[in-house]
Amino acid sequence: MLKKELGMFTFLDLLEHYPNRHIDKTKVNKIREINPQTEFIQVVGTLLHYEIVGAGRGKRLVAQLKDSTGILELAWFQGISWVVKNLHVGSDYLVFGKTGFFNGKPQIVHPEIEVYIPAKADGKDFLEPVYPTTEKLKARGFNGRQMGKLTYTLFSQLQPKDIIENIPQGILERLQLMGRYEAYRNIHFPASPVLYEKAMHRLKFDELFIAQVRLNLVRLERHRVSRGAVFEKVGDYFNTLYSKYLPFELTGAQKRVLKEIRADTGRGHQMNRLLQGDVGSGKTIVALLSMLLAADNGYQSCFMAPTEILAQQHFNSLGRLLKEMPVEIAILTGSTKAKERRRVLQGLLDDTIHFVVGTHAVIEDVVQFKNLGLVIVDEQHRFGVAQRAKLWGKATIPPHVLVMTATPIPRTLAMTAYGDLDYSVMDELPPGRQPITTVHRYETARANVMDFVRTEIDKGRQVYFIYPLIEESEKMSYEDLMQGYEQVKSFFPEPKFRISMVHGRQPGEQKETNMQRFVSGDTQIMVSTTVIEVGVDVPNASVMVIESAEKFGLSQLHQLRGRVGRGIEKSFCILLTGTKASKEARERIKVMCATNDGFRIAEKDLEIRGPGDIEGTRQSGALNFKIASIVNDKVLLECAREEAEKLVSGDAELSMTKNLPLKTFLQSQKGKNGWSKIS
Ligand code: ADP
Ligand code: MG
């Protein structure tokens, strides 16, 4: 039962089944204190009476408990026969549970109940652990307190030597961490609140540290054993573009990242690098220069984009930069015509095409390369691990992989979920960018918003109107979009104003035409869904109006807003909402109005939503900590990361005497975590 319900197999599992609270047995409430605001309560009383009433699904056990101030009703709907066996009229019981009112009388449904034994006078055992359990177990009478008894029994037989210390002594001393045995003991049966806190601290560190050691080992192993194409020289392709066709000076951050990429690709090991750069930080040019580096060394490159629109746009802008150079670049998407498709496939096979830009279509099995050396994955969070792995299998020597994302992954998250990738940050925007001003307006102020939009258009600027479309197949929001389009049209009538509309249901070609008209400035207004969320680059666009902004997540809002503020003009983002928005939605909007800093926004997002939700990390299983939290324990995580890095880089085999217990521990834990699966 324990196995199935809680996944417990060993005594260590039991030790790591941490209590979610402790009961101070000396703290007992009076029944009279219960009011509609009361949540949980602990009372001691005498059992007056009990009976089973009703039948079938309505069958329940009802009991009355009396203390000096009143009567409390207790009710059970499940496990009745078991509970009844343990009830004795006239005995005293300690009862704990969530209170409610039934027919105006206070009641606890499925309380935790046990025979009352006064707390010992010596002060020990005052704090009794209560454990998370499941409804099923509870129904069988195995509640959180019974679990405590089991743990107590375990501890009565456990010696300090049974629990090997997994953290090296030096670290324990330096960070003044409690020993492992003592920590387990105090988290379950704290001798004092201070020791409880120390135990908590140690076990959180433990969890984070072990995870970080694992990640570092994986990364190091990959550095050591993986083979990779060697890009040993910077040649004509790279140099020509750099000196002749680059329309601007690279930022310091871009240069630094390029250096990191050069170092990575020159060593003969496969590069696995995550490049984070806020929207507009200029990742594309870094990608292009890396691709030219590959070409200089005789390798082909593949650039993968999350949407067709974006693939097309990358193809166009890269093509423009490469116009005067003898580099063949092709595009391959779902809507590439059969004949062109055959040409591209052939070209990749015989190496007459150097670069291919595409969507998912480039990872289909039919796409084979002569000599693939570099894979760029733009906006990685849309691609699953399996899909990326497929790309890596396309060459005999695995190609280097550069994953780019503008979704700013909070540092703590990157340290855990992507901790085995090497990691670069572009924390600098190209010069001359003005911060975007973001405001919140209610729909009732729409007319004013439209007036403002009109003045911007009159100045020659372009404008986005974004509508939420949760699922492209969702009929409701599709109709909202169409209504929105009509509404925008009524404010901005043709022929003075020209409007493009782009959404997921259009055929690829139509999307492309509409997009292209906006890019070229032929239309001043773009009405769209979130299909333009990532990457679209129209520097002349200076206003973004986001309709029903309350329906968007924080990182999505930030991504969208990144479509403006890309030129030298002052840009604006207007978040429109109804008057009724949830507390969380209001908080998101407040954050958006307060900052343009993607990293701060991502941190906030993590705080508001919790880690479980962050896109792309859900399947990794990397965030399932038992006691630590990447939101609340950031400082500790940084510390664990640092210690793990230091340790692994000094002793990659964990063969030094001081690290042997750790090694043994890790080996005993094999298969418990999915770390090796992440890449
Ligand atoms: P992102 O990192 O969001 O993918 P892009 O690569 O699309 O950003 O670059 C955003 C814009 O900034 C593009 O118009 C690009 O040409 C321009 N850009 C990139 N690097 C620089 C630079 N060093 N100086 C000036 N403009 C730059
Ligand atoms: Mg981009």
Side-chain angles (χ1 to χ4, degrees), residues 248-251 254 277-285 430-431 433 535 537 539 566:
F248 38 67
E249 171 83 358
L250 292 185
T251 64
Q254 285 169 323
D278 207 349
V279 278
S281 59
K283 294 183 292 296
T284 320
I285 202 76
R433 298 275 170 83
D537 185 34
R566 303 173 80 83

Side-chain angles (χ1 to χ4, degrees), residues 163-200:
I163 308 270
I164 45 162
E165 180 55 69
N166 51 4
I167 299 180
Q169 207 55 39
I171 297 180
L172 281 186
E173 280 164 22
R174 191 148 25 85
L175 301 178
Q176 300 190 332
L177 296 173
M178 187 183 256
R180 189 153 172 250
Y181 172 82
E182 215 191 329
Y184 278 133
R185 207 179 164 100
N186 277 287
I187 196 114
H188 292 281
F189 304 102
S192 76
V194 174
L195 289 176
Y196 177 76
E197 285 307 317
K198 288 204 77 160
M200 184 81 119

Side-chain angles (χ1 to χ4, degrees), residues 284 314 378 535:
T284 320
H314 279 318
D378 199 21

